[in-house]
Amino acid sequence: MKKSLTGVIVAIVILSGYGAVAFSFTDQNNMEKKDIFLFSSVQLTEEQDYTNVYLPEATSYLTTPRSYVLPVVTRVYTFPFLTKITKITVRFSGEQETTIVKPLKVTPQALPDNLKEPLILSPQTASSTICPERSFSYHIAAGRDGDSLTTFVAIHLYPIQYLPSDNILRYSQNAHVRISYKTPEPRQTTTFDQYELVIIAPKAFSQVVEPLVTHKINHGLTTKLVTHEEICDSAYFPVQGRDCAEEMKYFIKNAFDQWETKYVLLVGGRNGGIKQEKWWVPVRYSQLNDGGEGSYLIDLYFADLYDSNGSFSSWDSDNNGIFAEWNSQRKDVLDMYPEVYVGRLPCTSVLQVRIMVEKIITYETSTNGSEWFKTFVGVAGDTYPASNDPYYEGEMATNASFQEIESLGFQASMLWTSNDRFINADSVIDEISKGCGFVHFSGHGSPLVWSNHPPMNESWVNGPNAFQMKKLTNGDKQPIVIVGGCHNSQFNTSLFNIIKGILDDGLSYFNSTRPYGKFWYYEWIPRCWAWAMASHKKGGAIAVIANTGLGYGEPGEQTLTQRGRHLEWLFFKAYKDGKVNLGETHAKDIIYYMHEHPPMQDQTDCKIVQQWALLGDPSLHIGGYPS
C-alpha cells in the first residue's frame, strides 16, 4: 500500500524571555524571509549489496545512529542577535518515487580514532517507518559573526526519504522555505573601555607576559592583562559563579559586554595536585559520557557566553552543578556557538611563558612575505583500513584541506603512507624542519603519540612522539598545526598522575596485558603531544589545534562530510574565507561544523566540537603582520 508523505511541515517556535539582555519588539518588526531550492536529479549506483544515493546539492549525509545514508541539504540564515523566530515552514513539491532493488546502506557508527579497525554494523531491520521521519529540521543559536553578534538559523532539508520495508525512495524536486521573525529594537550599549584582547594569567606569570601586551598594542590591538587573582578579588567586575571556572567565564562575559572584548588568551596549565588537580588558570571538564570516557577538557565553555534567548550560557541547563552533562539519564541543553575567540597556552612555568611570548612576537613580526609560509604539509594514511574499503580517510582529509588553500598560492608536500613519504617519525621531522605555514595530521593519537596505517594494512606507522619534538629544527619557521586523532591536546598530563595512578590502582596501574593499566594511557607525560610541539623553544609549532579527548571519524566514502575529518578540513575553508586571526579561524571552523551537524542532536557531534582545543594565541595574525 502506498504510504502518504507529508509535503508541508510547520514548526512554531515560542521563545521564552531573554533574561539578562534587555530587548523589545513592536508590530512593525514582523518580517518574513523566503527561499526556493531546486534539486538536481537523484543519482543511484549499486555497490555489492547496497544502493548508494547521490544528490549534487548535498552538504552532508545523515549521521543518526542506524538511520540510512541519505543526503542532507543545509542552508544557514543569519539575523540580528535576539531576533525572535516565530514560524518556519518548508513545503516540498515535484515529488516522485522509485523502487530500488538493493537496500540503502545503514549509517556507519562513528569510530574513535584510537581503534585499529572499524566496527561492522548489521543492516537495520526493515521497517515501515520512513527515514528520515521528518522532511526537514532546524536549530537556532547565537554567536559572533565577524564583528557582529548574530542569531543563526540552520535549516536541514531531507529531499530524499526511504521506505525500507518496500525499498522505495521518495524525492522532491523543489523546496520552498519561509521564515517568519521579529527583529528587536536596537539596544543601547555602554562601553567604558575597549580591550579587543584580554590576557588572563596568574600573577606569577604577569611580568613575563608584559612584552606580549606591548607588542599587541604596538600592532593596533587594544590589549589588557588581567591576573586570575584580580578576577577573584572583583578588581574589575563583581565576582560571580559557583566555582573558579564559572567565575572566570562571568568575567569574560562582562569583558565582552563592557570592553567589547573579541579575543581571550588564557595563560596557564597544570600547577601540581595529585588527587585533586591544581591549575594556574581554571579549566572546565565536560561531563558528556560517550561510553569511552566520562569527561574531557573544554575551553569552548569559556567562549560561549549567550544562548539564542540572550541568557547567560551556563552549560548547566538543569542547574545541578554538573556542567555539559550528557548521559543516559540527563542532558544539558547547550548553545556552543562562541561570542569570543579563546585560546590557551597551558604553561606550567615562567620559562614556558617566556618561550611562548618570544615565539608569538617573532612569528608576527618576521613571517609575512616569507616563502616557507606558503608550504602546506599533509601527514596521513589509511585511517580505517579494511580489505573492502578503497578509501584512505586521512589522506582524503589532508588533500581536501590543501584544495581549500591551493588558490591562495600554497604548495603541497604530502607525506602519505600510500606514496611512501610517511615511513617513520624522522620523515615527518625532516619535512617540518624545512619550514612550512600549515601542517595537517589526520589519523590516530594519544597524549604521547600520533600514528596512522599503510593502505589496507592494520600495522602502524608512527609519527614523532611528544619526546621527539625537540628534534624539530625549523627555528622561527613555525606552522599552525591541525591534528586529527585522540587526546593529542590533552593538556592535563603531568608526572603527578603516576602517583595518583598508584594510589588509585596500586601495581595494576602498570599492567601491560589486558586489562591494560592506566599507565599506558600516557597521562603522566610532562607535556602532551600538542603542547610539546607548540612549546618547543627551537622550532615546533606556533599553535596546535587538536582533541582533548577521544576523536571520532567515519570510514569510507562519506568521511569528508562527517565527524572529525569534516571538522579538520573546515579549518582551511575558514582561512580561505578570509579569517586571518587564528582564534576567528578556529571558531569559524567549529561554527561551520555545527551549522551542518547540530550539536544537540547527536552526542558524538557535540563532543567533536567541544574538545577541539586551540593551544595558541587566538589573536595571532596568521602569516604575520605586514611590514
Side-chain angles (χ1 to χ4, degrees):
M1 183 177 70
K2 187 175 181 179
K3 276 74 174 177
S4 63
L5 178 65
T6 302
V8 179
I9 299 179
V10 178
I12 299 177
V13 184
I14 301 176
L15 300 181
S16 59
Y18 285 78
V21 180
F23 72 101
S24 62
F25 295 98
T26 66
D27 290 339
Q28 287 75 23
N29 297 125
N30 289 319
M31 302 183 74
E32 193 171 78
K33 180 173 289 190
K34 298 179 181 179
D35 206 353
I36 299 176
F37 293 78
L38 305 178
F39 303 116
S40 303
S41 298
V42 177
Q43 302 171 24
L44 303 177
T45 60
E46 292 186 355
E47 174 189 343
Q48 297 178 344
D49 299 326
Y50 300 100
T51 297
N52 295 318
V53 181
Y54 297 93
L55 186 69
E57 291 79 16
T59 53
S60 66
Y61 289 79
L62 288 179
T63 57
T64 308
R66 292 197 175 277
S67 62
Y68 293 88
V69 179
L70 285 164
V72 180
V73 179
T74 297
R75 178 69 59 86
V76 179
Y77 302 89
T78 59
F79 301 90
F81 181 50
L82 297 180
T83 294
K84 184 176 182 180
I85 308 300
T86 56
K87 181 187 291 186
I88 296 177
T89 303
V90 178
R91 178 174 59 85
F92 289 90
S93 61
E95 295 164 3
Q96 302 178 38
E97 69 175 39
T98 187
T99 301
I100 57 178
V101 176
K102 298 179 180 180
L104 298 187
K105 282 185 178 180
V106 175
T107 300
Q109 180 177 342
L111 303 183
D113 287 337
N114 66 345
L115 291 185
K116 294 183 179 180
E117 59 186 51
L119 302 176
I120 299 175
L121 296 179
S122 58
Q124 184 172 337
T125 304
S127 168
S128 60
T129 303
I130 197 165
C131 178
E133 294 182 357
R134 297 179 294 168
S135 58
F136 84 98
S137 64
Y138 66 89
H139 72 281
I140 303 171
R144 181 185 284 271
D145 186 20
D147 290 328
S148 301
L149 198 54
T150 299
T151 294
F152 297 102
V153 178
I155 298 181
H156 314 284
L157 305 177
Y158 313 120
I160 304 173
Q161 295 175 292
Y162 177 50
L163 283 169
S165 59
D166 299 331
N167 260 359
I168 290 177
L169 285 178
R170 291 186 175 159
Y171 50 94
S172 301
Q173 296 177 326
N174 309 293
H176 303 261
V177 174
R178 177 179 295 178
I179 305 172
S180 300
Y181 61 97
K182 292 183 178 181
T183 56
E185 295 294 329
R187 295 185 295 131
Q188 298 296 323
T189 59
T190 302
T191 302
F192 299 97
D193 296 291
Q194 185 182 53
Y195 300 109
E196 295 173 89
L197 168 63
V198 169
I199 302 174
I200 300 176
K203 185 177 180 180
F205 294 169
S206 59
Q207 185 175 355
V208 188
V209 175
E210 284 292 352
L212 182 60
V213 176
T214 302
H215 163 76
K216 294 292 183 177
I217 293 173
N218 288 342
H219 283 85
L221 193 68
T222 53
T223 303
K224 187 171 185 63
L225 171 62
V226 175
T227 68
H228 178 243
E229 291 85 348
E230 288 175 321
I231 294 174
C232 297
D233 292 340
S234 302
Y236 301 100
F237 311 112
V239 67
Q240 296 173 264
R242 291 167 285 178
D243 60 11
C244 289
E246 191 170 69
E247 288 175 1
M248 188 168 75
K249 180 168 181 172
Y250 267 110
F251 171 84
I252 294 170
K253 172 187 173 296
N254 287 325
F256 172 77
D257 290 340
Q258 300 187 37
W259 294 348
E260 297 185 354
T261 296
K262 185 175 183 179
Y263 306 99
V264 176
L265 173 59
L266 308 175
V267 182
R270 278 285 294 270
N271 184 25
I274 297 176
K275 297 294 286 186
Q276 185 73 32
E277 294 174 355
K278 296 180 181 179
W279 292 87
W280 285 110
V281 170
V283 297
R284 174 68 73 205
Y285 281 88
S286 174
Q287 301 302 314
L288 182 153
N289 190 333
D290 61 356
E293 59 190 350
S295 66
Y296 47 90
L297 292 157
I298 46 168
D299 275 349
L300 180 61
Y301 163 82
F302 299 108
D304 174 23
L305 306 176
Y306 285 108
D307 63 22
S308 61
N309 295 332
S311 299
F312 176 66
S313 188
S314 69
W315 286 41
D316 180 22
S317 59
D318 59 5
N319 203 36
N320 68 348
I322 302 175
F323 296 85
E325 185 180 20
W326 192 339
N327 53 46
S328 58
Q329 283 79 40
R330 292 178 178 272
K331 174 184 173 182
D332 281 322
V333 178
L334 314 178
D335 179 272
M336 291 177 53
Y337 281 62
E339 278 73 37
V340 292
Y341 307 133
V342 174
R344 182 185 293 262
L345 305 178
C347 302
T348 58
S349 67
V350 169
L351 176 60
Q352 286 186 12
V353 178
R354 182 176 288 111
I355 289 171
M356 293 308 301
V357 167
E358 291 175 355
K359 287 179 64 159
I360 293 167
I361 293 173
T362 300
Y363 177 92
E364 290 195 318
T365 55
S366 66
T367 301
N368 187 261
S370 299
E371 186 176 347
W372 61 265
F373 175 75
K374 288 294 186 176
T375 299
F376 169 94
V377 175
V379 189
D382 186 359
T383 309
Y384 308 110
S387 59
N388 61 347
D389 177 7
Y391 301 99
Y392 308 157
E393 293 85 357
E395 297 182 8
M396 291 169 65
T398 53
N399 186 58
S401 295
F402 173 66
Q403 288 179 346
E404 288 294 325
I405 62 174
E406 184 177 12
S407 63
L408 302 180
F410 282 84
Q411 302 295 317
S413 177
M414 296 300 191
L415 276 61
W416 292 344
T417 57
S418 69
N419 65 10
D420 295 325
R421 294 195 64 211
F422 173 32
I423 56 176
N424 53 33
D426 286 339
S427 60
V428 179
I429 290 169
D430 291 345
E431 190 66 23
I432 295 177
S433 291
K434 297 175 184 177
C436 51
F438 295 100
V439 181
H440 180 186
F441 290 84
S442 187
H444 300 271
S446 77
L448 175 65
V449 301
W450 181 92
S451 308
N452 212 319
H453 300 286
M456 300 184 186
N457 189 316
E458 295 178 10
S459 64
W460 292 96
V461 180
N462 294 321
N465 64 43
F467 295 111
Q468 293 173 309
M469 296 302 178
K470 61 185 178 182
K471 296 174 67 176
L472 290 165
T473 58
N474 51 320
D476 296 335
K477 302 175 181 179
Q478 297 176 16
I480 293 165
V481 179
I482 307 300
V483 189
C486 295
H487 297 107
N488 288 114
S489 194
Q490 187 181 331
F491 58 87
N492 61 359
T493 60
S494 169
L495 288 170
F496 286 103
N497 289 340
I498 293 180
I499 302 173
K500 181 179 185 299
I502 295 172
L503 292 175
D504 288 346
D505 302 331
L507 293 180
S508 63
Y509 173 70
F510 298 101
N511 279 355
S512 58
T513 58
R514 295 183 186 275
Y516 295 111
K518 291 184 178 179
F519 176 84
W520 304 104
Y521 293 5
Y522 302 112
E523 294 175 343
W524 50 265
I525 61 174
R527 306 182 200 183
C528 69
W529 190 95
W531 184 232
M533 179 178 278
S535 61
H536 176 36
K537 182 178 181 179
K538 298 180 179 180
I542 190 63
V544 181
I545 298 173
N547 294 313
T548 61
L550 284 169
Y552 284 89
E554 184 164 315
E557 187 176 6
Q558 271 77 48
T559 195
L560 294 180
T561 58
Q562 317 290 1
R563 311 302 188 185
R565 307 296 84 79
H566 194 190
L567 181 67
E568 292 163 27
W569 71 259
L570 283 175
F571 173 87
F572 295 93
K573 171 177 167 52
Y575 177 63
K576 181 189 69 174
D577 289 347
K579 311 306 178 186
V580 296
N581 289 96
L582 181 57
E584 185 171 7
T585 313
H586 169 251
K588 203 65 179 179
D589 175 14
I590 63 176
I591 287 173
Y592 284 159
Y593 187 88
M594 289 190 291
H595 283 342
E596 193 66 49
H597 309 287
M600 289 291 97
Q601 292 184 18
D602 184 276
Q603 191 183 55
T604 301
D605 285 329
C606 181
K607 181 174 184 178
I608 284 171
V609 171
Q610 286 182 356
Q611 67 179 354
W612 194 233
L614 166 58
L615 301 191
D617 171 14
S619 68
L620 186 81
H621 195 286
I622 298 175
Y625 286 108
S627 302

